[in-house]
Amino acid sequence: MNSTYKTCGLYREELKRITAVKGIEQLSGKTILLTGATGMIGTQLTDALMELNSRGAGINIVAVGRSETKARERLGEYFGAPLFRFVTQDVTEPFPASLSADYIIPLASFTHPMAYGRYPVETMAICLKGAEHALLLAERTGAAVLYPSTVEIYGEAADGEPFSENATGRLNLSTSRACYTEAKRASEALCQSFRSERGVRVKIGRLCRVFGPTVLAGDSKASSQFLHKALAGEDIVLKSAGEQIYSYIYTADAVGALLHIMLNGADGEAYNISNKACDVRLKDFVQTCAGVAGRRVVYDLPDEAERKGFSVATRAILDNSRLLATGWAPAYDFRDAVRRTIEIMRYK
């Protein structure tokens, strides 16, 4: 997928909506460093920040990623821009002493099940070392850290109720998939430890399942596969009966929520990021994708390799009332978000 989708009117409208977040003027003249800049969230976040710069915000953007080739595919239009800098960096290694920032957003992570199943050691290393090096850089430079965490830290709901930020859930450490959940939990603890012991300012956003037009081609999450199949005009395969119910959120809402937390959240606080209008069963997700694309749903059980990375949670709903109380609100309902995703991805 090339980046011409970024000229789509729907996508440009989303960037304007994201950049209308409360307190956005605080970013003028600041330096923001984000790792995982070529990922699904990192790409649209970079686009939103560059949209602000097109209106004179003067934000210095340091985008960090492991591959300049991939960065040129995803963010190539910004190479050479005076306020954009790409740094080729493996986040498991310390940042160079020359780097500085006012805000740090460590987004780098494996975020899909095939990666968890095949590379559990690397999954843990990227999360843990990525968080540590971001926090060390923040300590050295006085930057504030926005840590993007995940609904996965809650595991399975014991009582069927939505997860509040104080919930613990149930987690199974006997699977390779625990690499992601435990690394994220430990990274959150590391954030709180740096805040307590070393005075680093930290805010945490716990994202539910995110989908949208900046999805990567190799993303093996079920929602991503549904969208790719719909875009290709193919029937959509569901690897279960689809009774699982999860919180989802559209990428533009997720990016807007992260910026809102960074600018308006309380130091040391964690906030669930979700949209009640997107709390849906897996079968409803796939049926909506198929309906928008004019295709049908095919049910097919997964093989052993696929099951290794699958979530065992059958219900993972986030209570987002703490975030709503800060003045944030999502903009897109579920069907509109699916429609927008497919329309923007089709744009050439």
Side-chain angles (χ1 to χ4, degrees), residues 27 30-36 45 60 62 64 91 95 99-108 130-148 191 200-204 258 262:
L27 298 183
K30 303 297 186 186
T31 297
I32 300 176
L33 182 148
L34 61 150
T35 71
L45 176 56
N60 290 287
V62 182
V64 178
V91 297
F95 287 109
L99 284 184
S100 184
D102 298 295
Y103 298 94
I104 299 170
I105 309 174
L107 283 160
E132 179 188 12
H133 292 143
L135 290 161
L136 287 169
L137 178 62
E139 181 186 11
R140 176 171 63 80
T141 63
V145 174
L146 171 67
Y147 186 71
C191 286
V200 175
R201 292 170 293 149
V202 177
K203 300 170 186 178
I204 297 169
L258 287 170
M262 188 172 79

Side-chain angles (χ1 to χ4, degrees), residues 168-233:
T168 54
R170 296 180 299 187
L171 290 163
N172 180 3
L173 302 184
S174 300
T175 69
S176 61
R177 199 183 195 281
C179 64
Y180 182 64
T181 56
E182 289 305 302
K184 281 294 189 178
R185 285 169 66 95
S187 294
E188 280 202 30
L190 192 62
C191 286
Q192 298 292 3
S193 299
F194 266 81
R195 177 176 177 269
S196 174
E197 182 179 331
R198 304 185 183 183
V200 175
R201 292 170 293 149
V202 177
K203 300 170 186 178
I204 297 169
R206 293 175 181 161
L207 291 153
C208 66
R209 288 161 169 80
V210 182
F211 69 97
T214 51
V215 62
L216 296 167
D219 192 323
S220 63
K221 290 194 296 291
S223 59
S224 300
Q225 292 301 303
F226 299 159
L227 291 164
H228 281 304
K229 290 290 186 181
L231 181 66

Side-chain angles (χ1 to χ4, degrees), residues 250-266:
Y250 188 48
T251 316
D253 275 336
V255 172
L258 287 170
L259 284 175
H260 179 89
I261 292 167
M262 188 172 79
L263 297 170
N264 303 288

Side-chain angles (χ1 to χ4, degrees), residues 221-223 225-226 229 235-244 246 248 281-288 290 296-302 306 310:
K221 290 194 296 291
S223 59
Q225 292 301 303
F226 299 159
K229 290 290 186 181
D235 292 338
I236 304 175
V237 177
L238 184 58
K239 294 286 188 174
S240 70
E243 293 297 329
Q244 309 94 311
Y246 304 130
Y248 293 92
R281 296 187 186 280
L282 200 61
K283 64 182 180 182
D284 297 323
F285 195 120
V286 71
Q287 290 288 358
T288 301
R296 68 188 183 97
V297 178
V298 177
Y299 290 83
D300 182 35
L301 294 178
E306 290 173 304
F310 282 11

Side-chain angles (χ1 to χ4, degrees), residues 14 22 26 59 64 67 72 77 122 125 141 183 299 346:
E14 291 173 8
K22 176 185 173 185
Q26 298 174 53
I59 303 167
V64 178
S67 169
R72 288 186 177 276
E77 64 269 37
E122 292 84 351
T141 63
Y299 290 83
R346 281 176 176 160

